[in-house]
Every structure is written in structure tokens, then in C-alpha cells.
Amino acid sequence: VSHRSRYSLRSRTVDSTSRPAQSISEHLIFVSLNQGRNTISAWLSECVWNEKTGLGCDVKDRELKFDIIPNDHPYHNAKNPRTVGRANEKLASAVEEVKKDGRTCLVVGGDHSLAIGSISGHAKTEPVIWFDAHADINTPLTSLSGNMHGQPVAFLLKELKVSGVPGFEWLKPCLSAEDIVYIGLRDVDDAEQPTFPKDRQEQTLSLNIISPQKINKKKPIHLSFDVDGLDPPLTPATGTPVPGGVTLREGIYVAEQLYKTGLLSAVDTVEINPRLGKTQEEVDSTVNTAVSIILSGFGKAREGSHSCSY
């Protein structure tokens, strides 16, 4: 979600028939600029759709639109709070509807502020796996840039009690600090240090925590995957790359292991911005990497996926 343009939310419903032992009904929600078919929504939609239909899946569409709110003045340092807040409210309603239908939800965007709506709509979720180079726990008072994509965790945490932000009157914080596990984290702002959940720090670099044997078997999982958590050469078409990230193999491993738990209930894949690719190769690399992660989280194994009759 960004403040610069009007937005559309596109979704494709996927009924998975490729793995009868662990059949998944998926709902794909694409958040993108409303610029016709030449959007990240359309591009990723086609990539995922083609892969899914190749595995025997049924795909359907629907669309929601987000508009800029005029005179959306900052709240303290937070830019465009009303536009971002209302967009997230619509997204939360859409995700809630998907979950009521018993589907696994995938949201593709868009900047990481959309996780406010995605996780709120998926309110029964715990834990949250926050795959990101950044902690995203600034508040409207502490953020130096004012960008909302650096603040979603703060809005979601009960402990921080962020309130009074125009556009977010609907929001009720739904996570505790102990519900969040960071992976790929390597860039925490000074202002974030006092509020960063200290007991999570020791888990930020260990992929072993993703082992299915170590995850609470009773709780659904929400994976919020920012592509800048990966090493920058893999996803150059993103806004805030940080050197020294997770490899593609490790990123796929995370998604695969979460899939194997049978508890992966919702996924965000965010911060994919083709406009920031300097060459077509950079754009292709970013999109292909994102698609690889998405498909791994929904059951595509590296050794190949087999038909029902295999």
C-alpha cells in the first residue's frame, strides 16, 4: 500500500488438487497499483496462476479498489495515515472473509504496511513469522521517514498501544511481542531499540526454529514475507535492500518447512516493486524469486510436484 496512486486489490481463488494427502484451498489477494494489466498484481497473478493450473488447480478472480483520501495530512511523523488506514481496513475485511471460508490466504503487494490489515483480518493467528531485513516497529512518534511500511508491527502489538491515528479507528492490536519471530533481521533503527522485543533477538538468524517439530501444533501460522529479507542480488527491485540477507535456498527452506507443518494459514509477500529494477533482468529476478517462495509455501517441492495419480 502506498500513498501515491489509486490501488486495486485483485484476488484469485485456487482449489488445490495436486496433493490429496494435504489438500489446500487457497485464496490469493493481490494488492497493486490500479494501472491495468501492466501491474505487479497482474504479473505475479499470471505467474502463480500458470504454475497452479499446471498442478491441476482451479483459479478464479475478484477485485477491490483503494482510493487516495484527499488532504491526508501526517499524524505526527506518519505520512498518509487515512489512506493507508482505510486501505488496510478493506484488506482486513477481505482476509477475514477468506478465513471464514476455510481457505489459506495469500496477499501479494505492495509495501509491508499491508500486513496491518492482513494480520488483523487473520486475528486468530499466532505466531507470526516476520521475514524482513527490518524490524518495522517504528511508531508515528519515532519514525524518522514517516513511511508507514516501517511501522506495521507497532500498530499490531498490544504492548505499544498505538492509538488515535486517523484512519485506524477500526484497528484493535492483536499480537503480543512473544507471538513474533523475526527471520533475516539485520537493520534495526535506534528509535526501534527500546521497543524491540528483546526475547526475539536470539531467534532472528536461526532457521532451525522453522522445524515442524518445534512449532506449536495447535496454532495457525502467518508468514509475513518481505523480499528485502533476502540477499539484495536476488530481489533488486525492492525499496530498502540491506546487504547480507538470506539466500534463495534458505528462503525456500523457510516456506517449505512452514508448509510441512500443516499450520500455514496466511502468507504476505511484499515490497516487490518492478519500477525500482534498473534492468529487465533485475525485475525478472525479483518476480521469479517471489514466485518461487510463494509456490514453496503452498506445497511445491524442490524435487518436483506429482499429480494425484502418481
Side-chain angles (χ1 to χ4, degrees):
V1 179
S2 171
H3 65 279
R4 294 185 179 88
S5 303
R6 192 182 182 198
Y7 287 83
S8 66
L9 182 153
R10 299 178 54 81
S11 65
R12 283 197 161 140
T13 303
V14 180
D15 296 304
S16 176
T17 58
S18 61
R19 289 195 174 188
Q22 190 174 348
S23 181
I24 300 176
S25 292
E26 302 153 13
H27 199 101
L28 312 185
I29 300 177
F30 293 84
V31 181
S32 74
L33 291 168
N34 186 24
Q35 295 178 334
R37 298 300 294 173
N38 295 319
T39 64
I40 186 61
S41 167
W43 194 349
L44 277 169
S45 177
E46 292 302 325
C47 291
V48 175
W49 188 9
N50 290 339
E51 289 279 359
K52 289 296 183 184
T53 52
L55 296 176
C57 301
D58 178 43
V59 184
K60 299 177 182 179
D61 269 351
R62 70 171 180 162
E63 184 175 11
L64 294 175
K65 294 181 179 179
F66 302 146
D67 295 312
I68 294 175
I69 295 178
N71 303 314
D72 193 358
H73 303 295
Y75 176 78
H76 296 294
N77 296 338
K79 299 175 182 176
N80 309 287
R82 298 160 190 83
T83 298
V84 176
R86 293 291 176 249
N88 270 292
E89 184 177 17
K90 286 188 177 182
L91 179 57
S93 297
V95 172
E96 183 178 9
E97 181 181 337
V98 170
K99 297 312 301 176
K100 285 181 179 178
D101 288 341
R103 296 181 177 274
T104 302
C105 185
L106 168 64
V107 178
V108 178
D111 75 44
H112 216 162
S113 65
L114 65 78
I116 299 172
S118 177
I119 293 174
S120 296
H122 191 202
K124 294 182 179 180
T125 300
E126 42 182 332
V128 170
I129 309 296
W130 198 269
F131 190 105
D132 200 321
H134 310 91
D136 290 347
I137 200 168
N138 274 299
T139 72
L141 291 172
T142 66
S143 174
L144 296 179
S145 69
N147 293 327
M148 296 294 288
H149 63 77
Q151 305 176 47
V153 175
F155 277 76
L156 293 165
L157 283 183
K158 299 174 184 177
E159 289 87 344
L160 292 186
K161 298 182 174 64
V162 174
S163 62
V165 183
F168 287 90
E169 295 84 1
W170 59 276
L171 179 64
K172 182 178 180 180
C174 57
L175 295 178
S176 297
E178 64 183 11
D179 297 330
I180 301 175
V181 173
Y182 284 91
I183 297 178
L185 182 67
R186 53 196 184 277
D187 187 7
V188 180
D189 293 344
D190 290 341
E192 293 176 305
Q193 294 288 350
T195 53
F196 183 68
K198 297 296 190 297
D199 60 335
R200 300 293 93 180
Q201 289 188 29
E202 64 186 33
Q203 299 186 18
T204 58
L205 298 178
S206 174
L207 297 182
N208 292 329
I209 59 169
I210 300 301
S211 169
Q213 291 76 27
K214 296 185 179 181
I215 293 178
N216 189 317
K217 297 296 183 179
K218 298 180 180 180
K219 295 181 178 181
I221 298 169
H222 190 117
L223 172 62
S224 202
F225 195 105
D226 186 329
V227 298
D228 71 24
L230 298 166
D231 208 35
L234 295 169
T235 54
T238 191
T240 51
V242 180
V246 176
T247 67
L248 178 58
R249 182 177 181 180
E250 291 168 337
I252 288 175
Y253 170 80
V254 169
E256 287 177 339
Q257 292 301 305
L258 289 174
Y259 169 78
K260 289 178 182 178
T261 67
L263 297 170
L264 189 57
S265 183
V267 178
D268 311 321
T269 307
V270 302
E271 299 290 351
I272 305 159
N273 190 345
R275 290 181 175 182
L276 298 179
K278 297 177 182 178
T279 65
Q280 187 62 43
E281 183 179 359
E282 289 191 352
V283 174
D284 291 345
S285 175
T286 304
V287 172
N288 290 335
T289 298
V291 171
S292 295
I293 299 295
I294 290 170
L295 295 175
S296 297
F298 288 89
K300 184 173 182 179
R302 279 175 283 182
E303 70 271 17
S305 298
H306 309 298
S307 67
C308 298
S309 60
Y310 179 78

